[in-house]
Amino acid sequence: MQNLRRLNGTLLMLAGWIAMAALAAIAILVPYEVVGRYGIGRMSTWTNEFCQYAVVWATMMGGAVGLKRGMHVGITSLTDSLPPGPCRWVQGIGYVCMLVFLSLMTYYGFDQTMMNRNQTSSTVGISMSIPYAALPIGFLMMLLITVEHLADFLTAGRAGRK
């Protein structure tokens, strides 16, 4: 379990830096594009497409970081109204559903990335597998975080029974 925690910590630090770099690029390029378009009358052809890809990467990396920090929205009206025993069952089922969903998204995201590896973006000229790779990488990070959360959940349940 310690190895998973260390791996997740390293991956999330990297994800945070990628998200910050993508957002910084967007924060620089969008005003540059606006000034170029309306102030100078000339605009770059690549900035719009690059910003779209940066948004995808920032979203997926930020989603993984947010999941680890517990920042995702949750509807807890059911679990709040249940007694402790059934509440733990519902939470456990929720973790299993998340694992299934994230596993499928990782698999199909990787499949989509591989399908688009020979396609080139129209203006930036990179392989489309680069923007598509944000999906399986982000979902895999979220999957690993969910495994860690589930292990903590199960460990807390065992400690509570003793």
Side-chain angles (χ1 to χ4, degrees):
M1 194 60 192
Q2 274 313 93
N3 291 336
L4 179 61
R5 286 187 204 288
R6 271 195 296 277
L7 175 65
N8 283 348
T10 302
L11 290 174
L12 289 173
M13 184 178 65
L14 181 63
W17 282 106
I18 292 170
M20 284 191 291
L23 290 172
I26 293 166
I28 292 167
L29 290 175
V30 168
Y32 164 77
E33 183 68 22
V34 170
V35 168
R37 181 179 298 176
Y38 298 111
I40 302 172
R42 289 177 65 186
M43 58 185 231
S44 299
T45 57
W46 60 274
T47 54
N48 182 42
E49 188 174 285
F50 181 86
C51 286
Q52 288 174 0
Y53 301 153
V55 166
V56 172
W57 275 95
T59 301
M60 294 307 297
M61 299 299 105
V65 172
L67 180 62
K68 177 64 177 173
R69 294 182 182 173
M71 300 173 102
H72 285 213
V73 174
I75 300 171
T76 61
S77 58
L78 176 62
T79 54
D80 290 346
S81 66
L82 291 172
C87 176
R88 282 197 55 79
W89 275 98
V90 169
Q91 289 173 331
I93 291 168
Y95 279 118
V96 170
C97 290
M98 282 182 63
L99 289 174
V100 169
F101 173 76
L102 293 170
S103 297
L104 289 170
M105 294 306 290
T106 301
Y107 173 80
Y108 286 112
F110 180 75
D111 188 48
Q112 192 68 35
T113 301
M114 290 292 98
M115 278 195 282
N116 288 292
R117 71 183 177 273
N118 296 324
Q119 183 183 357
T120 305
S121 69
S122 59
T123 58
V124 180
I126 60 172
S127 169
M128 287 303 292
S129 63
I130 294 171
Y132 276 99
L135 298 172
I137 291 171
F139 284 123
L140 179 61
M141 285 184 190
M142 291 181 219
L143 178 67
L144 294 172
I145 292 163
T146 304
V147 169
E148 182 183 336
H149 286 174
L150 178 59
D152 291 342
F153 173 79
L154 294 173
T155 303
R158 278 193 224 112
R161 280 184 275 192
K162 290 180 180 176

